[in-house]
Every structure is written in C-alpha cells, then in structure tokens.
Amino acid sequence: MDDVELPSPATTTWSIHRYNGSEVLPAEDTIAVEAPLTILLDGEEFATLVYTPSDTMDLVTGFLASEGMIRFADQIESLSLEEDRGFAHVKLRHLHQLSRQMVSKRFIGSCCGKSRQFYFHNDMRTAKTVTTKLSLTIPQCFHLMSELQEQSAEFRATGGLHNAALCTVSELRVTRADIGRHNALDKIYGHILRERISVRDKVLAFSGRVSSEVVLKTSKIGVGLLLSKSAPTDLALRLAHDLGITVVGFIRKDHLTVYTHPERIAECR
C-alpha cells in the first residue's frame, strides 16, 4: 500500500468585517476547509465524501472498513490520492461484490436479537458486540475530555471541526479532526488499521453528538467506552446497550451522564 501522503491544509483564511460591539473592523478569520473526495474502486466510483483534506489515507482506509469492504489494511493492494482533483484511487486484493452491492441498501433486522431497527445491511455484518473489561473513573473521563479540547487547536481556530481521539485510560494517543463527525472517527479507524494498533485497552473521546452511526462505528472499531461532550440519541443508546458499549455524554466541567453499561465506570458499580 502506498504510504506517501502529501499534506493538505485543514484550514484557510478569509477576509471579513467583524463587529465588536461598537464598530465594524476589517480582519481575517480562520475557516475550516471543506472538499469533496470521490473514492474509486478499480476505476469505478464507489462513494463521494465531503471532508476536511487532512489524514486522507486514514479516512479512506477507515471508510472502507466501516462500509464492510475490508477488515485489514493489507487488503488494500494500492491507494493513491489526487487531492487537488478530489480523487482517491483504490485497488483491493479481493473485491467482494456482495459488500459493494449492499453498501447503500437498507436492512430491517434486530441488533443482537433485541432492538428492532433500520440500518444498512453491511452494518449487520460488521458491527460486533464489545466485551472489554476496561474501566474508567469519573476523574479519568474528565481528564480525557479536557485533553481532547486542549489539543483541538483547529476547532478553537475555526469553530467548525469535530474531533476524535483514541486514548488509553490516562492519555490521548491519536487525534483526528474533520468537518464531519463520522469522518473524524473513520480517520481514527483507518489509522488503527494502518498502524495495527491494539484497541483492547483503548477508549474513544469524541466532540460530537452520539448518533446511531457513531455507536456503530465505535462497535466496528472494537472499543467499549465512548466519551462525548455532547448528547446521544435514543437509537444510539439502544444500539450501545445491545452492542456492549458504555456511552458517557455531556462531559463538561464537573458534570457527566453515564447512559449505558455503567459497570465500566468505577463510581457507578
């Protein structure tokens, strides 16, 4: 697999006029970059993403894994980028036509035999129940979320990016940012696969709302603890309950809410 990735800026500047409460002054503002990326599998269009052009190799790898096209990074025979034109060219060692055909088809089923839901067919094949014995304390939850916010320089500059981090119980190991919260998680997933990182002792910290898709991606990555400063949805919590994922939301200052599998939070036992 091609390991060469040319850097692309995640932010740009824009000339603006800012009102400061008493007068309007010319200034420059930092803006998040938004760009399309079309993924071509064996020369055929597979999907087009709108993303922040950074860590693109990780994004493409993680997206393909999330969609059930690959399980390991070495299933990608070649991956090359034309970021100036918005293309990622991918050749897989074995392209499974069933996976490709089912990417956008809805499947009505049950998650682990419990919550009857609508979601994509490939999610049925790739989402898995997480059985980690890892646990956190409430102070560790606060610490990891604080670290995520402190390392989010691009968010502070633009106010327009989501951030995700792969963590141990004590520190952040990998951080990724994107205008799309799902993309940020796919970038983390892709990095895990490309670097063959074990997730046995890992936690995900996340800046965005916890939707059902976020929970499904967490399940596919194989992490059992998901921390967020924002709110979850009802469907996300039902999936998290069924898939064995601890969701901790609204982690702000000295407050947090444990929604599912509280046995992994020491103070809730």
Side-chain angles (χ1 to χ4, degrees):
M1 186 171 63
D2 188 356
D3 287 325
V4 177
E5 179 168 355
L6 297 176
S8 295
T11 62
T12 187
T13 57
W14 197 264
S15 296
I16 62 168
H17 289 80
R18 179 177 286 123
Y19 178 64
N20 64 10
S22 60
E23 59 182 335
V24 176
L25 298 173
E28 284 195 341
D29 200 9
T30 302
I31 307 296
V33 173
E34 179 179 9
L37 179 71
T38 298
I39 299 173
L40 303 173
L41 287 182
D42 293 338
E44 295 185 14
E45 182 175 344
F46 176 68
T48 297
L49 312 177
V50 178
Y51 83 122
T52 298
S54 63
D55 304 296
T56 310
M57 291 284 194
D58 287 344
L59 173 64
V60 174
T61 303
F63 178 76
L64 292 175
S66 290
E67 295 301 315
M69 303 305 296
I70 63 171
R71 292 183 60 196
F72 307 101
D74 59 11
Q75 290 177 280
I76 299 176
E77 183 174 316
S78 64
L79 169 53
S80 61
L81 303 176
E82 289 185 277
E83 288 186 288
D84 57 334
R85 297 182 60 216
F87 289 104
H89 301 272
V90 181
K91 182 175 178 58
L92 301 184
R93 298 190 188 281
H94 302 286
L95 180 58
H96 297 287
Q97 291 302 321
L98 178 61
S99 295
R100 183 172 186 161
Q101 293 166 5
M102 292 298 179
V103 163
S104 61
K105 295 189 182 299
R106 287 290 181 177
F107 185 90
I108 303 173
S110 60
C111 180
C112 308
K114 297 179 182 178
S115 302
R116 179 176 172 84
Q117 312 297 354
F118 292 83
Y119 51 105
F120 290 116
H121 185 277
N122 274 348
D123 289 335
M124 286 290 295
R125 299 191 305 105
T126 56
K128 53 184 179 289
T129 301
V130 182
T131 58
T132 181
K133 295 181 180 179
L134 189 68
S135 65
L136 287 174
T137 65
I138 287 177
Q140 286 172 329
C141 293
F142 287 132
H143 172 71
L144 293 176
M145 189 55 58
S146 175
E147 286 289 301
L148 179 65
Q149 292 175 314
E150 287 180 8
Q151 293 193 20
S152 304
E154 291 168 337
F155 172 79
R156 291 197 301 271
T158 65
L161 293 172
H162 288 285
N163 299 281
L166 184 70
C167 320
T168 66
V169 297
S170 58
E171 63 180 349
L172 275 59
R173 290 294 180 87
V174 180
T175 60
R176 292 291 183 266
D178 200 278
I179 58 168
R181 61 182 186 273
H182 307 129
N183 293 345
L185 287 171
D186 280 339
K187 288 177 178 181
I188 292 288
Y189 194 6
H191 182 80
I192 289 169
L193 294 176
R194 297 180 73 217
E195 299 299 325
R196 300 182 180 182
I197 297 172
S198 171
V199 297
R200 185 182 302 272
D201 61 342
K202 301 300 189 298
V203 178
L204 282 175
F206 185 57
S207 66
R209 175 172 51 86
V210 179
S211 66
S212 59
E213 187 173 1
V214 166
V215 169
L216 286 169
K217 286 182 184 292
T218 301
S219 166
K220 294 172 187 181
I221 292 169
V223 172
L225 290 109
L226 175 61
L227 311 180
S228 174
K229 70 174 185 179
S230 195
T233 67
D234 170 65
L235 176 54
L237 293 182
R238 282 184 280 157
L239 287 171
H241 173 78
D242 289 353
L243 292 167
I245 295 170
T246 298
V247 174
V248 184
F250 287 113
I251 305 176
R252 302 174 183 180
K253 296 183 179 179
D254 59 349
H255 294 80
L256 58 72
T257 304
V258 182
Y259 290 95
T260 55
H261 294 279
E263 66 276 6
R264 296 199 187 101
I265 303 301
E267 292 83 352
C268 296
R269 292 173 191 162

